[in-house]
C-alpha cells in the first residue's frame, strides 16, 4: 500500500544574522538601560535628602532631559566632525564621571549641575549610537535593527529599577557608583569591539566634509514626517504615558499599585510589539507601520481619560504600548533611509532626537494644564489629537523601504 503523498510545506528562510557591530551596540544599550534604571528609583529620594521640596526634587529629574535637548545640536556637530565612535565613548565616560561625582555631591546645587552634565553625555552617546546604527545596518533590516535596539533599552529599563530598589538598602549613593561602573564597562567593550566598523557593501567611509546638511534632509518629505512622528512619540509614549497616566490612575482608582500596573502593561505591550513592528517595517513598509502605530497610540491614550473602570484603563494601557512598538522602528528606519549609509548624519539625527525630547518635555506640562482646567478626559483627548495630527504628513510621504529581490533579507543593495 503506497504512502499518501504529502506536500512539504515551504520553510520560511531564517532571518540573516545581525552584523557583529550591531550586536555590540545592542548589548551596550541593554547594559546602559539597566544602569539608568538603577538610579531612577532613588534619584528623587536622594534629592530630597538635601532638605528640598518636591518641586526641587523633580527639577533634578527634569534637568537631565532639558540638557539632552539643549545640547543635541552640538552633539550632532561633534558626530559630524569627530565621528560616531569617539563621541559615543566620550558621552559614556561623561555620564560615568558625572554619576560618580553625583554619589559624592555635598549639596543640592552640586547635584543639579552634575545631573545636567549627565544629560549632555546622554545626548552624545544617544545621537552617536543612532548614527552608528544608520551607517552599519543593511537597509533591508533597518526595521529589525531598530526594534531589537529599542527592545534592549526597554528590557534593561524594566530590570534596572528592580536592581536599583535592592541596592537602595546600601544607601542612596550606592546606585550612582554602580551606574558609573556599568558605564565604564560598556565603554570598554565598545572601545575594544568597535574599532573600525565596516560599512555595508563596501561603501566609502564618510569624511568630515561630506555630512548631510539639515536643509538637504528637510527637503525630503519623509524626514519632515519623521520629525512630526518623533515629536508625537515623545509627547505620547515618553511624556504623557510616563508622567500623566500614573497620576490619572491614582486619582481615579485610588491606589499607587494601579499606576505601576498600568505602566508595566504599557511596557509589556511595547516589548511584545517591537519585533513584529520591526518585521512589518522591513516587509510591508515604513509608512504603513508608522501610520498604524500613530492611530493605535491615538486610540489608546486618547480614550484613557474617559475610562470608567479599571479593566478598561489597563486594556487601553496595553493598547498605547502597542502603538509605540510600531512607531519606533518604522520612523527610525525611514530617517535612516533618508540619510543612507554613505553620509555623515550627526546634525540630521540630532534634530530628530530633539523633536522626540521636545515632545517628551512639553507633553506632560501642557496636558497637565488641560487636566487641571477641564479634566483628564479632554487632556488625554488632546494627546490623541497630537498623534493623529502627526500621522497627516505620513499619508503623503513617499515610501523609502528599499526593494529587495525575494529571499535576500540582509542584502545591503537597496539605497535611496
Amino acid at each position: 500500500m503506497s504512502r499518501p503523498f504529502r506536500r512539504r510545506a515551504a520553510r520560511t528562510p531564517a532571518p540573516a544574522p545581525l552584523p557583529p557591530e550591531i550586536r555590540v551596540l545592542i548589548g551596550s544599550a541593554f547594559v546602559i538601560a539597566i544602569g539608568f534604571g538603577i538610579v531612577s528609583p532613588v534619584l528623587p529620594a536622594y534629592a530630597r535628602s538635601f532638605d528640598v521640596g518636591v518641586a526641587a526634587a523633580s527639577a533634578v529629574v527634569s534637568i537631565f532631559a532639558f540638557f539632552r535637548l539643549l545640547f543635541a545640536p552640538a552633539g550632532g556637530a561633534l558626530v559630524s566632525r569627530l565621528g560616531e565612535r569617539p563621541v559615543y565613548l566620550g558621552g559614556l565616560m561623561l555620564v560615568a564621571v558625572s554619576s560618580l561625582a553625583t554619589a559624592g555631591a555635598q549639596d543640592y546645587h552640586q547635584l543639579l549641575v552634575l545631573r545636567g552634565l549627565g544629560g549632555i553625555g546622554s545626548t552624545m552617546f544617544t545621537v552617536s549610537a543612532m548614527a552608528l546604527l544608520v551607517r552599519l545596518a543593511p537597509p533591508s533590516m533597518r526595521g529589525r535593527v531598530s526594534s531589537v535596539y529599542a527592545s534592549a533599552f526597554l528590557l534593561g529599563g524594566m530590570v534596572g529599577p528592580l536592581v536599583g530598589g535592592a541596592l537602595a538598602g546600601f544607601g542612596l549613593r550606592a546606585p550612582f557608583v554602580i551606574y558609573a561602573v556599568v558605564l565604564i564597562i560598556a565603554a570598554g567593550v565598545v572601545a575594544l569591539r568597535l574599532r573600525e566598523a565596516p560599512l555595508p557593501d563596501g561603501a566609502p567611509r564618510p569624511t568630515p566634509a561630506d555630512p548631510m546638511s539639515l536643509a538637504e534632509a528637510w527637503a525630503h518629505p519623509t524626514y519632515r514626517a519623521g520629525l512630526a512622528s518623533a515629536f508625537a512619540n515623545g509627547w505620547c509614549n515618553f511624556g504623557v504615558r510616563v508622567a500623566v497616566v500614573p497620576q490619572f490612575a491614582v486619582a481615579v482608582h485610588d491606589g499607587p499599585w494601579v499606576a505601576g500596573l498600568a505602566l508595566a502593561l504599557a511596557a509589556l505591550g511595547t516589548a511584545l510589539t517591537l519585533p513584529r513592528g520591526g518585521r512589518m517595517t522591513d516587509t510591508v513598509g515604513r509608512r504603513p507601520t508608522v501610520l498604524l502605530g500613530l492611530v493605535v497610540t491615538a486610540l489608546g491614550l486618547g480614550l484613557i481619560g474617559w475610562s470608567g473602570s479599571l479593566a478598561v484603563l489597563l486594556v487601553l494601557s496595553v493598547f498605547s504600548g502597542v502603538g509605540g512598538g510600531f512607531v519606533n522602528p518604522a520612523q527610525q528606519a525611514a530617517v535612516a533611509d533618508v540619510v543612507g549609509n554613505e553620509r555623515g548624519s550627526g546634525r540630521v539625527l540630532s534634530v530628530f532626537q530633539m523633536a522626540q525630547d521636545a515632545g517628551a518635555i512639553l507633553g506632560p506640562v501642557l496636558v497637565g494644564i488641560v487636566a487641571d482646567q477641564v479634566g483628564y478626559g479632554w487632556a488625554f483627548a488632546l494627546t490623541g489629537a497630537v498623534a493623529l495630527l502627526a500621522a497627516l504628513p505620513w499619508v503623503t510621504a513617499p515610501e523609502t523601504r528599499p526593494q529587495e529581490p525575494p529571499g535576500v533579507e540582509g542584502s545591503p543593495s537597496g539605497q535611496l
Side-chain angles (χ1 to χ4, degrees):
M1 189 172 178
S2 61
R3 293 180 180 178
F5 174 76
R6 293 181 180 178
R7 180 176 296 176
R8 186 173 295 177
R11 292 184 178 180
T12 303
L18 297 175
E21 298 81 14
I22 297 290
R23 294 200 296 269
V24 170
L25 290 172
I26 290 170
S28 178
F30 179 70
V31 172
I32 292 168
I34 288 178
F36 184 79
I38 285 174
V39 303
S40 296
V42 301
L43 181 57
Y46 184 46
R48 292 295 300 274
S49 71
F50 292 105
D51 294 325
V52 298
V54 175
S58 300
V60 173
V61 178
S62 299
I63 198 169
F64 188 89
F66 176 73
F67 270 84
R68 272 178 55 90
L69 178 65
L70 193 66
F71 194 75
L78 284 175
V79 169
S80 297
R81 180 175 294 274
L82 303 177
E84 301 96 339
R85 182 176 171 273
V87 178
Y88 184 91
L89 295 175
L92 286 182
M93 293 308 298
L94 180 56
V95 179
V97 170
S98 69
S99 180
L100 197 60
T102 296
Q106 299 301 307
D107 58 46
Y108 171 78
H109 295 97
Q110 285 185 16
L111 176 63
L112 200 63
V113 171
L114 291 169
R115 289 302 294 170
L117 290 176
I120 293 175
S122 174
T123 200
M124 286 173 64
F125 73 70
T126 299
V127 173
S128 54
M130 193 184 307
L132 279 167
L133 292 175
V134 168
R135 183 161 67 81
L136 299 174
S140 59
M141 62 168 65
R142 280 177 176 149
R144 181 176 157 212
V145 166
S146 297
S147 68
V148 175
Y149 188 80
S151 296
F153 255 113
L154 182 63
L155 293 176
M158 294 169 69
V159 172
L162 300 177
V163 179
L167 288 174
F170 296 95
L172 294 176
R173 298 176 187 266
F176 297 96
V177 177
I178 301 298
Y179 185 29
V181 172
V182 165
L183 291 171
I184 292 170
I185 293 172
V189 172
V190 172
L192 290 174
R193 300 289 302 276
L194 210 66
R195 293 186 177 182
E196 277 298 324
L199 286 168
D201 203 30
R205 188 169 300 280
T207 64
D210 186 37
M212 172 176 279
S213 69
L214 183 58
E216 188 179 354
W218 179 261
H220 201 298
T222 302
Y223 181 71
R224 299 197 299 270
L227 295 181
S229 60
F231 179 82
N233 192 43
W235 178 299
C236 297
N237 293 313
F238 296 109
V240 170
R241 193 171 86 185
V242 175
V244 184
V245 169
Q247 296 184 61
F248 170 73
V250 172
V252 174
H253 298 286
D254 194 25
W257 67 271
V258 177
L261 182 58
L263 289 179
L265 289 176
L268 179 64
T270 301
L272 294 177
T273 309
L274 276 169
R276 184 176 297 273
R279 289 194 299 270
M280 183 175 173
T281 295
D282 289 334
T283 55
V284 179
R286 287 49 161 145
R287 182 175 61 184
T289 309
V290 172
L291 287 171
L292 174 63
L294 288 172
V295 171
V296 171
T297 298
L299 292 174
L301 285 175
L303 297 176
I304 273 186
W306 308 104
S307 60
S309 69
L310 176 60
V312 174
L313 168 64
L314 298 181
V315 169
L316 290 175
S317 295
V318 175
F319 210 56
S320 69
V322 167
F326 283 117
V327 170
N328 258 324
Q331 67 177 4
Q332 291 190 25
V335 172
D337 293 336
V338 172
V339 174
N341 296 110
E342 303 91 347
R343 306 289 299 277
S345 54
R347 184 170 284 108
V348 173
L349 295 177
S350 70
V351 171
F352 175 78
Q353 184 63 47
M354 284 178 67
Q356 188 157 278
D357 286 342
I361 293 171
L362 289 175
V365 175
L366 297 181
V367 168
I369 292 173
V370 174
D372 287 338
Q373 298 298 319
V374 295
Y376 280 109
W378 290 109
F380 283 105
L382 171 62
T383 296
V386 168
L388 291 178
L389 287 173
L392 294 180
W394 280 99
V395 174
T396 56
E399 176 59 58
T400 59
R401 181 178 70 91
Q403 298 300 313
E404 299 287 351
V408 291
E409 183 190 0
S411 168
S413 59
Q415 294 289 339
L416 275 181

